[in-house]
Structures are given as structure tokens and as C-alpha cells.
Amino acid sequence: MRKPIIAGNWKMNKTQKETKDFLTELKPMVQDAACDVVVCVPFTDLTLAKKMLKGSNIKLGAQNVHFAESGAYTGEISAAMLKEIKVEYVIIGHSERRQYFGETNETVNKRAAAALEAKLKPIICVGETLAEREEGRTEEVLFTQLVESLKGFRSKDFDRIIVAYEPVWAIGTGRTASPEDANKSIGFIRKVLYTKFSAVIGEKTRILYGGSMNASNASALMAQEEIDGGLIGGASLSAEEFSKVVHY
Ligand code: PGA
């Protein structure tokens, strides 16, 4: 019922030249994909990527959006700016944003609200740190992140909201969560959506796993009942590897 989605998060990688080479290679490799395919590229690559993806099945995403319509926010990008390029998805609250750039549940909530207002599809990231996991606080942390990041959103907003479960200890470390652990946490996230919002929202919302997902572990992760897709960092930077994940 929930269509799987494999989204690449390029982070701060690829110039326009590299974007051009990469998408030229990737397009034919994933044209028969059974899932939604998304690439979330740096702001400077969006216009070129949009042009190159015209007529293809690959959708375009950004990696952040500001909550204000415009104004004195040096270095930020508004939802209207993304809409003008016809960006469809936007990652919000990635743990790297939380860790290095002071992003909080409150700013994540505001950024997601701005994205929804502009009819973008926010990919809202949550996940516990290693210390939190070892203290047995995974569910408590996920609960707070979800309730605060999704505050005020209405039923119809969840037609567009995607949640990504990204345990911080698994991101860029080569240390993937086991399929069972990832399934358990994502099942918990779904339960929170059921109880804090509604059964319909719990049932329809796509929840992705992210953290060292690659060509060799994608099929085991995707075989889990609760996992609706992946947010792929490192393994999304090679067209060959990423297309293997898409064809998990
Ligand atoms: P990774 O990153 O696949 O390189 O671990 C995932 C992410 O941060 O979205």
C-alpha cells in the first residue's frame, strides 16, 4: 500500500560538472525502478539537475529549507526559491544539521511547516545517538523528536510528510542498524503516529531507514515490514551503487 522510496542524500558533494556526469549515468540505470527514486542535491546543483531530470522518473529534492518567506537570513534558502525550480522533496532536520548547525525540534517543525505550506514533501529526520541508545533511551528520544517536530500538522499534511529514521551512530560509519533493530524503531515511530495522530496517518505515512544503507544490505532492510524505503548517503554518490540500492 505504501510505495517504497529510495532517496539519495548527496550532502555537500558534487559540483555541477559532477552532477551532469552522474545523472547522465544514473537515468538509464533506474528508468524501470519499481519504487520512487529521489536525489537530494546541493542547492547549487538544483537547477541543472531539474533540467537534466525532465522526462525521467527521478524526482528532485533539496537538503534544507528556511521557515521565513524572505528576509535577513544569510546563507538560507526559502521554500518559494525551491518551488521556482520545481523541487519536490526537501530533507529537514538531518542529524548533521542538528549536530553541526544548531537545528532543534522547534526549527525542524518550523522548516517543515514552511515546506508543507509550499506543497513540498518534507523528509523529516529523527534518530538517537549512540549514548542515548546505550542508555536505553531510544524510544523516549524518538517520541520527543516526533511529537515536537510534527507539532500542529493536520491529517492532510501527512499526504506529503515522509519520516526518516536515522540512528546517528549508523550514519557514515559503515555500522548499519540490523534489519530487525531498524524495523523495531520504525515500528515504534509508526505507533507514535497512530497514537498521537491517527490510525490512518500511522498506516499511510512512509517511514524510511537511513544510516550506512548500501547495495549489500538494502534487500534485507527493505524486506522488513515497517521499512518503506531508504535515505542513502555515501552509497548514493556512485550511480552504479545507488542503482543497485534502487533495485534492491
Ligand atoms: P550514510 O548517510 O548512508 O552515508 O550513512 C545517510 C544519511 O545521512 O542520510
Side-chain angles (χ1 to χ4, degrees):
M1 198 189 94
R2 296 183 296 265
K3 188 171 185 196
I5 160 169
I6 298 293
N9 172 13
W10 290 6
K11 310 191 179 184
M12 195 174 73
N13 290 289
K14 296 197 192 295
T15 61
Q16 293 196 49
K17 160 94 178 65
E18 290 162 340
T19 298
K20 190 164 173 232
D21 294 344
F22 177 92
L23 292 178
T24 304
E25 197 185 349
L26 182 70
K27 276 197 290 186
M29 288 176 161
V30 301
Q31 62 185 1
D32 58 345
C35 60
D36 285 339
V37 182
V38 182
V39 288
C40 298
V41 310
F43 293 128
T44 47
D45 295 329
L46 286 171
T47 303
L48 171 69
K50 185 69 208 178
K51 211 155 71 186
M52 290 197 64
L53 295 177
K54 203 168 168 222
S56 94
N57 61 323
I58 305 172
K59 310 278 196 255
L60 187 59
Q63 298 173 16
N64 201 3
V65 66
H66 197 261
F67 39 81
E69 271 177 39
S70 63
Y73 300 99
T74 302
E76 293 284 333
I77 298 285
S78 75
M81 292 169 184
L82 297 181
K83 280 308 276 186
E84 187 180 45
I85 308 174
K86 300 200 166 54
V87 168
E88 197 174 327
Y89 293 83
V90 58
I91 298 172
I92 296 179
H94 189 278
S95 70
E96 285 148 18
R97 298 295 318 171
R98 294 175 186 261
Q99 195 178 344
Y100 306 132
F101 302 99
E103 207 79 69
T104 63
N105 293 331
E106 192 193 345
T107 61
V108 170
N109 181 249
K110 287 167 77 173
R111 289 178 193 268
L116 288 166
E117 180 73 28
K119 307 253 182 297
L120 291 160
K121 295 174 180 153
I123 302 174
I124 300 172
C125 303
V126 295
E128 80 285 3
T129 63
L130 184 60
E132 288 161 346
R133 167 159 285 251
E134 284 172 347
E135 288 159 14
R137 295 177 51 224
T138 298
E139 295 193 347
E140 170 201 328
V141 168
L142 292 177
F143 182 84
T144 305
Q145 287 179 339
L146 286 166
V147 169
E148 293 182 3
S149 303
L150 300 173
K151 196 168 142 196
F153 295 156
R154 298 145 303 170
S155 185
K156 73 174 188 6
D157 293 329
F158 285 86
D159 293 341
R160 284 197 298 276
I161 291 172
I162 293 164
V163 177
Y165 168 60
E166 298 214 308
V168 179
W169 48 271
I171 296 175
T173 57
R175 187 176 161 190
T176 322
S178 71
E180 295 72 25
D181 279 348
N183 193 57
K184 186 164 169 251
S185 293
I186 291 178
F188 174 77
I189 290 170
R190 198 174 302 288
K191 205 169 82 190
V192 175
L193 297 180
Y194 260 89
T195 51
K196 294 305 274 186
F197 293 90
S198 74
V200 173
I201 288 171
E203 210 44 62
K204 77 178 176 187
T205 304
R206 293 188 287 182
I207 310 176
L208 316 183
Y209 167 76
S212 300
M213 188 163 164
N214 57 38
S216 45
N217 57 31
S219 70
L221 287 158
M222 292 302 292
Q224 298 290 324
E225 193 174 325
E226 301 288 357
I227 304 181
D228 302 320
L231 186 55
I232 323 295
S236 76
L237 297 175
S238 138
E240 202 185 325
E241 173 96 8
F242 186 58
S243 85
K244 284 185 187 155
V245 179
V246 166
H247 293 290
Y248 63 86

